[in-house]
Amino acid sequence: MATMLSPDTQTQSKAGRFGAYGGRYVPETLMAALEELEHAYAEAKADAAFQAELDLLLKDFAGRPTPLYFAKRLTESLGGAKIYLKREDLLHTGAHKINNALGQGLLAKRMGKRRIIAETGAGQHGVATATVCALLGLECIVYMGEEDMRRQELNVLRMRLLGAEVRGVASGSKTLKDAVNEALRDWVTNVRNTYYILGSALGPHPYPTMVRDFNRIIGVEMRQQILGKEGRLPTAILACVGGGSNAIGAFHEFLSDLPGNDKVRLIGVEAGGRGKTLGDHAARFEGGVPGVLQGTYSYVLQDENGQVSLTHSVSAGLDYATVGPEHAALHDCGRAEYVSADDAHVMEAVVKLARTEGILPALESAHAVAECIRIAPNMPSHDILVINLSGRGDKDMGIIARELNIQGAQGH
Amino acid sequence: MAIQFQHHPGLVVYLSAGDTGLTPRESHAGHAGGAVDLSLTREIALAAIDAGADVIEIGVPYSDPLGDGPVIQRASERALLRGTRLVDVLALAAELRAARPQAGLVIFSYLNPILRFGLPAFVDAAAAAGVDGVLLIDMIVEEAGEYLAEMKRVNLAPIFLAAPTSPEERLKAIVEHSQGFVYAISRTGITGQQKDVETGAAALVERLRRWTHWRGLPIAVGFGISNAEHVAQVGKFADAAVIGSAIVELIERSTEEQAPEAVSRFIRGLFTQGLHRQHEVQALEQREPASL
């Protein structure tokens, strides 16, 4: 069991371990499917034709490569480090989630599975999955917590327009964790004909590895682009961490940079919510302890009896009780740093980015912007910060308008 | 004490520890902190044993029961609202052991509450309580190295689940590491009732027999087994039947005062009607072998 394994490595060990973390803790019924998936993914990864098909879709359908944009006015306004934005928000469907959905959608088709299920929190993964299913002609069922359906209604409408069936989940806190439970219950029941497109670098092996691989392109492009513009690597990369797929996608290409002058700081930003009390946030590395949730061993927000805690965040996509196992390993070995941004600072970050750069970030991505706003002013001007701007904020306009008291047609 | 099936088919009964149903006594409704009163679960378990249950699976309530259907989800939620903890479940096990020395007692849990308690501390406490075995629904054989070592240290029986989807090499490993009995899942899916026992269940048991046969390790079939007819069907090919959601739902619908007697009557009904039914099923099968 994982509890006694030493978290001594950032490289992946066998059976989907990242140091002590990861693994497979699932009902036996799913094991054959996970083994089949692991095998099929290994074959696809080695197949040049699969990669070529995916690359073409990423380019012509999703819009890769995404720009690395120098945020001049934000940089000047903060008066410290030079700030770049990796514009994943410009991708088709509005977030990095399409990278993974395209990869897994093609894999599902290759495996001959025509019934697709997915979970979604903010709805971005659900929209990406519904989009890919429309593109590939696959049946699509998306599980979404009722609370998330309420606060991300626009994405519910988008999924339905795209032909997906959105199934509301009323158990627990009616958010992402409960949607994953329900998706797993569906999968365990319909495992023989169903492919589960898990949306983050979470869950049982091989998902954390596979989802990370499909998002690695973010860091690969980022590295080339920053070397092209600056001739050197950034001082730090900032990314929000819910499950952690955009962050691990941005970080992974930089992990092996040796410590020393060239070492790129990797900073993951969790949801600080409305306070430090258990239940008021989703900062797993501040309030969590290692445990097993939804198939993987990682940091879990839980009470002293091992019951998983409720979480809170203004952003549905970060409102989740556990974190991808590779982040847990990177945390323990110190290669990446994890901090949190609270709801109030996130709202300030949304306004700041909107008004200095004309860019409306998703509430999730605004967590990374908030941390940038905190640290950039104290950094010298030759330092470089890259924010992985994982998604755009159109979906959040209702929440943002309410929080900031912005008036619509009825106002002034 | 050991897990032994006195009947054919043997009967395993799952109870959600700490659940008092939809109409709890006033004194049982709230969460007062500290030790939780599990006297209703104890009374029901004793009634079940006395009615003929060979093994009681004592279910540890969990916040995220992803292998369970709505009935056990609801029971877990109610038990957690009352504040039921693993330590309370272990205390309940000790009481049951003291009251019924011959009954088989199995702790049925998701992994996380056990990890939080501490694996070595848990197996020590379970052994001290007189528990016979442990079944962890989200623990697979490949991840079980330390769990198995700890279980062996205190001589507790690990019970693994086998699924219709499990390939041969997995079934072999599942049987190799299981003691007491091996739990065959009747169908792909979560816990909960179904109309018929699926034909896949018999096929799975037959595949398992290849590996259990030489050890004489019993095979219990569970998931969706909810009435005498199902028990009789299971008795045709397996050693025992597991009944969970049907009894949990019966408890949900009963008042606390009625619940132990209702469960007792239900179980006695399984045996009398079951044996009768089994006879009928055999007669039917002789006429129409393909219908099963």
Side-chain angles (χ1 to χ4, degrees):
Chain A
M1 179 166 319
T3 43
M4 295 179 192
L5 294 174
S6 57
D8 56 357
T9 172
Q10 58 187 250
T11 51
Q12 190 181 334
S13 49
K14 82 183 217 306
R17 287 279 168 190
F18 305 92
Y21 301 102
R24 279 176 174 161
Y25 299 94
V26 292
E28 171 64 22
T29 306
L30 292 181
M31 277 308 297
L34 289 170
E35 286 176 347
E36 181 192 3
L37 177 59
E38 182 179 16
H39 185 69
Y41 175 57
E43 274 188 6
K45 202 176 167 180
D47 180 353
F50 177 84
Q51 286 299 335
E53 190 180 6
L54 178 56
D55 289 348
L56 191 65
L57 283 173
L58 285 171
K59 179 168 170 280
D60 292 346
F61 183 71
R64 298 214 75 92
T66 59
L68 183 71
Y69 165 72
F70 172 49
K72 186 163 177 286
R73 295 229 315 136
L74 180 65
T75 299
E76 285 168 3
S77 160
L78 295 175
K82 205 169 177 182
I83 299 161
Y84 282 88
L85 306 176
K86 177 63 175 163
R87 299 293 308 275
E88 293 296 293
D89 61 313
L90 292 178
L91 283 172
H92 179 44
T93 71
H96 74 288
K97 295 291 187 187
I98 194 74
N99 300 326
N100 170 56
L102 276 172
Q104 289 201 55
L106 287 181
L107 185 58
K109 203 172 167 191
R110 183 186 168 98
M111 292 170 73
K113 309 252 182 185
R114 305 205 60 86
R115 181 178 184 270
I116 303 295
I117 58 169
E119 85 297 335
T120 198
Q124 288 302 116
H125 173 59
V127 167
T129 301
T131 298
V132 168
C133 288
L135 176 72
L136 301 178
L138 302 170
E139 182 190 357
C140 183
I141 295 155
V142 179
Y143 290 93
M144 188 170 190
E146 288 184 348
E147 166 65 13
D148 290 341
M149 287 178 74
R150 189 189 57 72
R151 57 180 167 169
Q152 305 276 248
E153 191 186 5
L154 180 64
N155 278 342
V156 176
L157 300 176
R158 290 168 79 192
M159 285 184 270
R160 287 180 173 154
L161 174 67
L162 289 160
E165 180 188 341
V166 181
R167 293 187 182 169
V169 179
S171 58
S173 54
K174 306 178 173 61
T175 58
L176 178 56
K177 172 173 76 82
D178 312 289
V180 175
N181 283 339
E182 212 52 42
L184 285 167
R185 288 182 186 122
D186 181 316
W187 200 29
V188 95
T189 306
N190 301 296
V191 61
R192 289 187 173 100
N193 69 352
T194 298
Y195 185 106
Y196 180 16
I197 301 189
L198 189 59
S200 195
L202 286 166
H205 177 64
Y207 283 106
T209 302
M210 184 168 66
V211 176
R212 176 254 280 156
D213 288 352
F214 286 135
N215 280 297
R216 274 194 83 248
I217 185 78
I218 301 171
V220 170
E221 288 175 5
M222 194 189 278
R223 185 186 192 98
Q224 271 181 1
Q225 289 166 324
I226 197 71
L227 287 175
K229 286 172 193 288
E230 294 282 348
R232 61 197 166 108
L233 295 177
T235 313
I237 298 168
L238 295 144
C240 66
V241 182
S245 66
N246 92 81
I248 203 67
F251 292 173
H252 200 260
E253 177 68 7
F254 298 88
L255 285 184
S256 51
D257 292 317
L258 293 172
N261 290 338
D262 281 346
K263 179 173 171 178
V264 178
R265 283 176 66 195
L266 305 171
I267 304 173
V269 189
E270 298 186 284
R274 62 191 163 213
K276 297 285 183 196
T277 311
L278 197 62
D280 283 346
H281 63 83
R284 289 66 48 99
F285 291 119
E286 290 175 30
V289 296
V292 164
L293 178 61
Q294 294 171 339
T296 195
Y297 182 65
S298 183
Y299 281 75
V300 180
L301 288 167
Q302 54 180 299
D303 70 13
E304 67 278 13
N305 299 308
Q307 305 296 340
V308 180
S309 306
L310 298 184
T311 51
H312 166 80
S313 169
V314 70
S315 65
L318 306 187
D319 196 353
Y320 187 58
T322 189
V323 60
E326 193 163 10
H327 286 293
L330 293 173
H331 170 269
D332 282 13
C333 75
R335 180 62 190 93
E337 306 154 52
Y338 295 86
V339 297
S340 64
D342 64 26
D343 289 352
H345 284 98
V346 167
M347 282 298 162
E348 286 173 22
V350 168
V351 175
K352 184 84 176 178
L353 193 65
R355 296 193 178 165
T356 56
E357 298 292 346
I359 295 171
L360 171 58
L363 287 172
E364 290 77 18
S365 320
H367 284 70
V369 179
E371 177 63 9
C372 172
I373 291 170
R374 195 181 72 80
I375 64 173
N378 301 319
M379 297 172 76
S381 58
H382 58 81
D383 276 1
I384 301 167
L385 289 177
V386 178
I387 298 172
N388 190 34
L389 203 70
S390 55
R392 69 178 184 225
D394 306 47
K395 71 185 175 63
D396 297 316
M397 260 331 292
I399 299 170
I400 293 168
R402 233 179 355 265
E403 293 277 329
L404 300 176
N405 202 21
I406 299 170
Q407 304 289 314
Q410 307 304 315
H412 305 290
Chain B
M1 7 162 214
I3 294 169
Q4 286 186 336
F5 295 107
Q6 309 289 344
H7 312 88
H8 184 82
L11 189 64
V12 179
V13 168
Y14 170 93
L15 298 173
S16 287
D19 176 30
T20 48
L22 291 174
T23 50
R25 282 180 216 134
E26 212 138 278
S27 60
H28 280 174
H31 169 26
V36 172
D37 180 357
L38 299 190
S39 58
L40 181 66
T41 310
R42 186 186 65 225
E43 288 167 39
I44 294 169
L46 295 177
I49 293 164
D50 295 343
D54 301 289
V55 175
I56 301 292
E57 286 180 353
I58 313 171
V60 178
Y62 181 51
S63 54
D64 292 82
L66 55 84
D68 285 300
V71 170
I72 293 178
Q73 287 179 47
R74 291 197 300 266
S76 296
E77 276 176 35
R78 288 192 297 264
L80 288 175
L81 271 176
R82 295 186 62 240
T84 310
R85 305 159 304 171
L86 179 56
V87 65
D88 304 310
V89 176
L90 290 165
L92 167 68
E95 291 176 16
L96 292 176
R97 172 54 65 224
R100 296 294 183 277
Q102 301 305 317
L105 296 179
V106 171
I107 300 285
F108 186 106
S109 184
Y110 288 83
L111 183 53
N112 201 54
I114 308 289
L115 288 181
R116 191 66 201 259
F117 195 91
L119 186 58
F122 166 72
V123 298
D124 284 338
V131 165
D132 299 302
V134 176
L135 200 163
L136 300 176
I137 193 166
D138 49 357
M139 174 63 92
I140 55 163
V141 284
E142 288 88 340
E143 304 284 4
E146 283 181 40
Y147 165 64
L148 288 170
E150 285 295 316
M151 293 286 282
K152 191 174 180 184
R153 179 172 65 76
V154 296
N155 201 24
L156 281 175
I159 297 156
F160 287 94
L161 297 130
T165 49
S166 306
E168 288 312 305
E169 65 273 22
R170 296 196 60 79
L171 292 184
K172 181 172 182 248
I174 285 162
V175 169
E176 187 181 317
H177 295 298
S178 291
Q179 290 171 38
F181 62 92
V182 61
Y183 189 131
I185 302 172
S186 72
R187 53 165 159 79
T188 61
I190 50 180
T191 59
Q193 301 190 21
Q194 62 190 10
K195 267 173 100 171
D196 303 300
V197 179
E198 285 195 18
T199 49
L204 172 60
V205 170
E206 194 181 319
R207 291 199 296 138
L208 278 167
R209 289 279 186 221
R210 281 186 60 196
W211 311 109
T212 57
H213 193 70
W214 66 275
R215 283 174 59 192
L217 185 70
I219 300 170
V221 172
F223 279 40
I225 310 300
S226 59
N227 59 37
E229 197 170 339
H230 294 163
V231 171
Q233 279 178 276
V234 166
K236 288 164 58 64
F237 55 83
D239 304 297
V242 187
I243 302 205
S245 294
I247 286 179
V248 174
E249 193 168 36
L250 179 62
I251 295 165
E252 180 177 62
R253 286 189 276 110
S254 305
T255 66
E256 282 201 43
E257 287 72 16
Q258 296 165 340
E261 174 53 27
V263 170
S264 174
R265 203 176 325 116
F266 178 83
I267 290 173
R268 280 182 276 123
L270 293 176
F271 284 107
T272 52
Q273 294 173 38
L275 291 172
H276 179 62
R277 288 279 186 182
Q278 188 173 7
H279 188 72
E280 283 182 358
V281 166
Q282 278 164 349
L284 188 70
E285 194 187 33
Q286 281 162 8
R287 287 200 307 274
E288 271 184 287
S291 70
L292 292 169

